[in-house]
Structures are given as structure tokens and as C-alpha cells.
Amino acid sequence: MLTKLSGGRVFDPANGRHGEIADLWLRDERIAPDPGPGATPDTVHDLSGKLVMAGAIDIHSHIAGGKVNLARLLMGEEHDHHRFAAGSCGGGGCGGGSGIATPSTHTTGARYIEMGFTAAFEPAMLGSNARHAHLEMADIPYIDTGGYLVLGNDDFLLDLIATNAGQAAVNDYVAWMLTATQSLAVKVVNPGGINAFKFNARQLDLDEAGPHYGVTPRTVLTVLARAVYELGLPHPLHVHGCNLGVPGNVATTLDTIQAASGLPLHMTHIQFHSYDTVGDRKFSSGAVALAEAINRTPTLSVDIGQVMFGQTVTASADTMAQRHTAPLAHPRKWLAMDIECDAGCGVVPFRYRDKSYVNALQWAIGLELFLLLDDPWRVFLTTDHPNGAPFTFYPELIRLLMDRDYRLEKLAEIHPDAPANTTLGSIAREYTLGEIAVMTRAAPARILGLADRGHLGPGASADVTVYTDRPDRRAMFERPDLVFKSGRLVVRDGTLVAMAQGRTHVVRPGYDDLIERRIARHFDERLGLPIKHFRIRDEEIRHGAGPLLHPCRRREVQ
């Protein structure tokens, strides 16, 4: 099947194309080189006046796993109030399901592809829950997925560190867990803090020793960052730092950057880690200092975790932070639990209000960070779905970044004291279409090591999104004209017209087999789960389709 996309304005920053008029050729599931004169395409789409980008990629969205399901259960009323009938396309139903902040699996895939996203990655997959998370991701149609393995509060790792087992043993354990659980990357959540919570600690700063193992978060962080680096994983250690949501936590965030000592890090939802204590309310923006530190640290990348106003639910492995937030729950209910000694989980419904000083400032801080960070290759569009807002707010967020007048209009509507405690009103920058293409396509693919995603060069997966160039950027990014997934047209005029299935992306770094004996003994004696519980076979991924494997190679740190 040969398809010609004729005469669109192509934004493909990975291949140096920044709005040039060009034809694009799709052969079956891949982008193809121009077949030359005489070629007879099976289908031609005239894209004159249209914009063409690769399918967008969300690097941090909670779409599957234990806490996501607990959030769905806790937000049952949302699924009663928001039900979507399945349409008929391609001989099968598509688009059906329920929920907005906690969408069902089918709804998750439908809402993403309707906005032109062709991949989203679950950033918090526990080893003991990995099989369930993979089954759930396989049930999400249209988009590629993958999971980041959560480590850093598991007893086995903390015991390795506390007993000075050595970096090589840690590396073998990390590599074994990644391979067994079919994961793409490693994430740490409140390093050591979730474990400390189980021993009645209610806070743990970067250099405080945990109550049971006597290990500091700094040590956990640096040991894991080094393991990720030495194993050659494409994605740096994905870090949810200490003191999430605590006024004054920007100091901890800056210390965390220093703690990496030049090793690559990706710091996630940094909006929630950017709070200072200046002013009468003792809650102000620390975005300027943090942005300066990020701009001068080329080994660091971040995503924002933008807050948007309205009802959502926060779901996190960080039980310590969730306990602090619980009194503010809306509706007034929440839950927390331990998960097989692997980590924890807290779910707190939340409504962000523009007339709340704190919420208004959170909204402004996120936008400040987006606009103060110089390099769009190192900052990523996220709401930490659903924690800051549902991912369906992305088109509105893009408009806020691209349209200063609109941004100032919204700034004037929030709590009147909030603007005085941020620099947002003085920032003139407007993101360009090219920068949006970098931040949502080329950069996520590069930082995750997905060589054939996020660009439109020959050989890339034929994931393509076509837009009408509208001054209202929200309207433009909310409803693409066409979306192709692996070469198949699945969305026309913002409406699903066919079904498609994505793939699951994984890495498999090497390790010394001897680590298995120690892991097996620990699982038997401490967890009561056999080692086979953690091993997920290729045949279990995507209904037998198996995973897409990405190579591991160590990168030089500049």
C-alpha cells in the first residue's frame, strides 16, 4: 500500500525540516523515500495549506497499573457521568468507554489518537504489578506504550545499598528487573521516602537517613542514576524528587540536581517541586532559580506536570506526599496502601480552582517554567496526567504557550495575589510551531531512545498527524484533520474512522545471572512471591505481538 501526502508544510525537526512544502510517502507501516517519477500511489491526500508533523509522544502519563485502577474505583461517579458510546469504524466499535480524569482503557487510546498522539508511556510500573500493567496497556488501542520500572523504595535494593553490596550488584539487579518486567526505563519516586513512611516517618529530606535501612535519598538517587548510566539505558533515571508539593521545596530540587554530579537525570513534574517561601503567604514561585539551574545543566531534562483548573484525581506512589494532601481532597475521600513491599500508592481526588491562591500560583509556575527554559529538546509537555490535569487539556496548554495575549487574559482571571508572586506576566516568549514539534515529537523520541518514532524520515513508523493552520492553537491541536497510525488512517476531521493497535517498547540490558539466586531467595523469604511471578514472557505482551526492543549503549557525559 503506497500513500502520498501531497504538498503539506512539514515540521520534522529531527530531520531539519521547519515548515518546508514537501510530499510525504507512506509504504505500508513505514515512511518511504520518494519513489520517483512514474510511481502510482494507491491513495493521495492533497495537504495544500495543511501542517504535517509526526505523531505526538507523551513521555509521562499515568494510564495503567495498580494506582490507576484504584483511582478509577475511587472516582466511580466520574464514570457514571461521562460515558462514551462506541462508534462503528472499520467493521468494529471504537471510541467507547467512560471517564475523563480516570478514563477507561479504550477511552484513553481514543482520546489520545483524536488529538494526534500516537504514543504515551506509563511512568510508574511496579515490578510486582507489571504483568497487570502490561495487560492493561495492551487493552489501550491506537497508541504505543511502555512502562518505567519503579525502584528506590524496594527492600531488595535498599538492603543492597545498606549492606554495601556494591554498584555491580545494584546494576545486575536493576538490569534483571528491567528485563523480567519488560520495562523501558527506571523511575525513582521520593527516593527512600515511601519505605520510610512505612516505618512512621512523615518526611524525609535529601540527606536524612531512612529509619530502617539508614540510607539517605541522596544515596538512593545517585546509586540508581549510576546504574542507569552504566547499563546504557537510553532514558536517564526518571526522578520524582523529595518533598513534592511542600513550600520551599525548590531548595531540595536544586540540591537534587547537584547530587547527580553530572550524571544524566530526567526530573519529572517539576512544577510540583518549584515552590519558594517568599512573601506573606510563605508560598511563592521558585521557577526562576530552577530554570537557571536547568538551563546551565545540559545533562538534565525535565517535564512540567502543568496544573490546569478543574476536577481531577491525584494518583501517586508517593504515599508520604499524598497523606499531606489528603485533607484537601475533593470529593472528601482518599486511600493509601503498601504494594507488596515494592513501593506504595496514594489516591486523592482534587479540584484545582483559579480563585485559590495556591492553585493559581501552581498554574502560573508551570507556565513560567515552560517559558523560561531555553531548550525545547530538554523540556516536555505533561500534566502528569491525571495529577495536574487530564491529558485532554494539552491543546489548551499549547495555546497558552503559543499565544501571549491569551495567556495574559487568563492570568488576569486568577486569584489577584498570585500574579505578584510569579514572573509570568513579564514573559513575552511565544512557542513556535517548530518548538512545539520538538517538544511533543522529536525530543520525546530521542530521550526515550525510540529511533523510528517522532520523525518523518524514511524508515520511521508511519505515525503522522495533519492539522489545519488555525490562529486558535487550541482548536488546531484539539482536532487534527488526519491521523495515521502505522500507515493506517484512523482519524479524519477529529473523528475516529478505523481501529489500530500500538506496540510496547522495552530495553534489555545485560546482567550477571548469579544475581537471580539472591533475588529468588529474597522474593521467597520476604515477599512470598516466586521469582517467576516477576518474569513476563514476550508472548504475554500485546496479545502475543511481543515487545519492540531498543538497544542499550552508554553515552558520554559532556
Side-chain angles (χ1 to χ4, degrees), residues 35-355:
T40 305
D42 298 287
T43 306
V44 178
H45 296 272
D46 181 2
L47 303 187
S48 301
K50 307 291 186 185
L51 306 182
V52 184
M53 297 184 184
I57 300 170
D58 189 344
I59 71 164
H60 188 108
S61 180
H62 296 285
I63 54 176
K67 65 186 178 306
V68 174
N69 276 281
L70 290 171
R72 290 184 181 122
L73 290 169
L74 198 66
M75 300 293 285
E77 64 272 37
E78 180 188 66
H79 292 266
D80 286 337
H81 297 156
H82 301 284
R83 297 184 180 185
F84 311 106
S88 179
C89 58
C94 61
S98 60
I100 296 175
T102 58
S104 59
T105 51
H106 201 104
T107 300
T108 298
R111 295 295 92 82
Y112 263 118
I113 200 77
E114 286 169 350
M115 297 192 305
F117 279 74
T118 52
F121 293 89
E122 166 55 53
M125 186 170 74
L126 295 182
S128 55
N129 275 352
R131 177 170 281 103
H132 172 214
H134 279 294
L135 288 170
E136 200 171 344
M137 287 191 281
D139 201 42
I140 298 174
Y142 304 110
I143 60 173
D144 292 350
T145 59
Y148 306 165
L149 176 68
V150 173
L151 295 174
N153 286 282
D154 43 321
D155 286 289
F156 189 82
L157 177 67
L158 293 173
D159 188 63
L160 285 178
I161 297 172
T163 57
N164 297 314
Q167 187 70 46
V170 171
N171 294 0
D172 287 338
Y173 169 61
V174 171
W176 187 91
M177 285 291 286
L178 282 163
T179 302
T181 61
Q182 303 270 12
S183 300
L184 178 64
V186 177
K187 182 187 185 187
V188 62
V189 178
N190 191 354
I194 303 170
N195 187 276
F197 182 82
K198 298 173 185 178
F199 293 93
N200 290 322
R202 294 297 176 257
Q203 63 181 22
L204 193 70
D205 213 334
L206 189 63
D207 290 310
E208 290 183 71
H212 184 71
Y213 290 99
V215 175
T216 67
R218 181 187 294 268
T219 301
V220 175
L221 180 85
T222 54
V223 166
L224 276 177
R226 180 159 295 282
V228 167
Y229 171 69
E230 292 184 354
L231 291 170
L233 303 189
H235 189 49
L237 180 64
H238 201 87
V239 179
H240 163 143
C242 308
N243 295 331
L244 180 141
V246 177
N249 63 8
V250 68
T252 306
T253 308
L254 293 169
D255 287 345
T256 303
I257 294 172
Q258 291 295 321
S261 300
L263 288 169
L265 282 188
H266 177 89
M267 299 189 69
T268 189
H269 43 65
I270 58 167
Q271 180 279 133
F272 292 107
H273 302 271
S274 304
Y275 306 148
D276 211 334
T277 54
V278 175
D280 295 339
R281 293 176 182 268
K282 304 301 180 187
F283 185 75
S284 59
S285 172
V288 171
L290 183 55
E292 289 174 352
I294 296 167
N295 284 336
R296 64 174 178 263
T297 310
T299 51
L300 183 63
S301 60
V302 300
D303 64 78
I304 300 299
Q306 177 68 35
V307 158
M308 304 293 277
F309 301 119
Q311 178 68 54
T312 191
V313 60
T314 63
S316 174
D318 195 340
T319 40
M320 193 175 271
Q322 292 297 72
R323 181 181 178 275
H324 287 303
T325 308
L328 304 174
H330 178 92
R332 301 278 297 190
K333 52 185 178 181
W334 77 292
L335 64 83
M337 65 179 292
D338 165 75
I339 301 179
E340 304 290 0
C341 300
D342 242 358
C345 170
V347 180
V348 182
F350 206 88
R351 174 173 291 178
Y352 294 102
R353 296 175 293 118
D354 62 354
K355 297 302 185 283

Side-chain angles (χ1 to χ4, degrees), residues 454-479:
H455 71 93
L456 299 172
S461 180
D463 296 349
V464 184
T465 305
V466 178
Y467 302 99
T468 293
D469 189 359
R470 303 177 187 175
D472 181 344
R473 298 306 192 190
R474 171 177 175 164
M476 171 180 162
F477 283 97
E478 201 166 51
R479 192 177 173 86

Side-chain angles (χ1 to χ4, degrees), residues 15-43:
N15 291 298
R17 293 189 285 187
H18 305 287
E20 67 186 61
I21 306 297
D23 298 333
L24 198 64
W25 295 84
L26 318 182
R27 187 180 292 281
D28 300 325
E29 297 185 355
R30 296 283 164 181
I31 306 291
D34 188 334
T40 305
D42 298 287
T43 306

Side-chain angles (χ1 to χ4, degrees), residues 281 283 353 355-363 365 415 418:
R281 293 176 182 268
F283 185 75
R353 296 175 293 118
K355 297 302 185 283
S356 156
Y357 170 77
V358 171
N359 297 164
L361 196 60
Q362 289 177 303
W363 173 85
I365 291 170
H415 190 287

Side-chain angles (χ1 to χ4, degrees), residues 424-438:
L424 183 60
S426 65
I427 302 175
R429 181 181 178 187
E430 294 178 328
Y431 268 69
T432 65
L433 283 169
E435 287 176 325
I436 293 296
V438 170

